[in-house]
Amino acid sequence: MGWASERPSARASGGWIPIRSLSPRHKPRILKHLLSLDVQDRYLRFGYQATDEQIERYVLGLNFDRDEIFGVFNRRLELVAMAHLAYSVDPQWATCAEFGVSVASHQRGKGLGVRLFNHAVMHARNQGVSMLFIHALSENVAMLKIARHAGAKVQRDGSESEAYLTLREATLDSQLSGLMQEQMAELDYQLKNQAQQFREWLATMQEIRQGVRDARHASHKP
C-alpha cells in the first residue's frame, strides 16, 4: 500500500545504509516491526487501521519467491524499516510492480524510507520492471512528495492517490551496483549477527560468574 510516516530528510543522501533482502526466516522480525507501528502508521501503510490479526495474515501471506522484501536492521538485528516490492501476478502487467514501505517511529528523520524507495527502484529496473505503482492515501504527503520528486505522475481520487513511475531500462552499471549493495548488506548483517551472538555469550558468562560468586559468598556464611 503506502508509506508509513517517513519524513524526508536532508540527510537522505548521506552515508551508506545497508539494505538487505529478507527471506521467510525473517518473518518473526517483520511481524514484530509491523506490530510496533501505531494506529496512524498502520493506516498510512496499509490504507486502513490494520489490526494485529490482519498484520499477522499479511506477514503469513508474504511471497518471498515472487516478490522482493527489503529491510534495514539496527546493530541488535531489530528490523527498523522495511519495503515490499510486489510484482504483478497478471501476465498482462508482467512489467509492473507496487511499492510499500514502513519505518519505525524512533528511526524517523534518517532518510530510511527514501533509501528503501531508491533501492526498490534500482532492483525493479534490474528485474525488467518498467512501471512502479504506488497506492497511497492523499493525506500521506511524505510518500507522494517522494514519488513526485522521483518523477512519478500522481493522480488523486478523493481520499486516495495513485502514483506511476516509469523506470529506465537496466544498465550494466545498475546491475553491478545492485549486486555490490546486496553483497555489502549481507556482510553487514553477518557482522551484526556475530556481534549479537558475542553479546549474548558475554551476558551468559556474566550470569555464570555472578552465580559462582553468589555460591562462594553463601558457602562462607556461618
Side-chain angles (χ1 to χ4, degrees):
M1 173 65 185
W3 178 286
S5 297
E6 169 63 4
R7 299 177 180 84
S9 168
R11 292 183 292 169
S13 59
W16 176 72
I17 294 176
I19 299 175
R20 190 184 192 279
S21 294
L22 306 182
S23 65
R25 68 187 179 90
H26 294 113
K27 278 188 176 183
R29 289 189 171 95
I30 293 174
L31 180 61
K32 182 179 180 181
H33 163 69
L34 293 175
L35 289 178
S36 72
L37 298 178
D38 62 24
V39 174
Q40 179 65 9
D41 280 349
R42 293 185 185 193
Y43 180 57
L44 293 177
R45 172 60 183 87
F46 296 102
Y48 58 93
Q49 293 180 351
T51 64
D52 290 355
E53 292 73 19
Q54 289 170 323
I55 289 178
E56 289 172 0
R57 286 199 295 271
Y58 165 79
V59 174
L60 184 64
L62 287 173
N63 189 327
F64 293 87
D65 293 327
R66 182 192 67 218
D67 299 340
E68 298 290 342
I69 296 94
F70 308 106
V72 177
F73 293 89
N74 64 13
R75 67 185 186 89
R76 295 189 178 278
L77 292 185
E78 297 169 333
L79 188 64
V80 296
M82 66 167 287
H84 185 179
L85 184 62
Y87 295 103
S88 173
V89 296
D90 189 337
Q92 182 180 358
W93 308 104
T95 60
C96 297
E98 183 179 10
F99 173 80
V101 68
S102 57
V103 178
S105 60
H106 63 283
Q107 293 290 328
R108 303 283 161 72
K110 297 181 179 180
L112 297 184
V114 179
R115 296 299 187 86
L116 284 165
F117 178 79
N118 292 336
H119 185 85
V121 167
M122 180 184 64
H123 196 88
R125 283 180 60 198
N126 291 339
Q127 295 300 314
V129 172
S130 60
M131 181 73 71
L132 188 64
F133 171 75
I134 304 157
H135 187 88
L137 296 171
S138 296
E139 65 189 85
N140 202 337
V141 179
M143 179 70 249
L144 297 176
K145 183 175 181 179
I146 295 302
R148 287 192 177 96
H149 182 74
K153 296 180 180 179
V154 179
Q155 297 179 349
R156 180 169 179 171
D157 183 13
S159 63
E160 299 183 354
S161 295
E162 295 178 346
Y164 302 87
L165 179 62
T166 302
L167 305 184
R168 302 190 307 272
E169 290 186 7
T171 62
L172 178 60
D173 180 66
S174 71
Q175 291 173 340
L176 291 176
S177 178
L179 180 61
M180 181 178 296
Q181 287 191 29
E182 289 179 4
Q183 291 177 340
M184 291 174 63
E186 176 63 24
L187 176 60
D188 175 84
Y189 182 86
Q190 295 301 329
L191 291 174
K192 287 177 178 175
N193 188 40
Q194 291 177 6
Q196 178 70 7
Q197 291 176 352
F198 181 65
R199 284 194 294 268
E200 292 174 353
W201 176 80
L202 281 179
T204 301
M205 291 301 297
Q206 289 173 354
E207 290 178 1
I208 293 174
R209 290 168 181 165
Q210 185 61 44
V212 171
R213 286 193 292 266
D214 292 345
R216 287 176 178 173
H217 180 71
S219 66
H220 285 85
K221 285 184 177 180

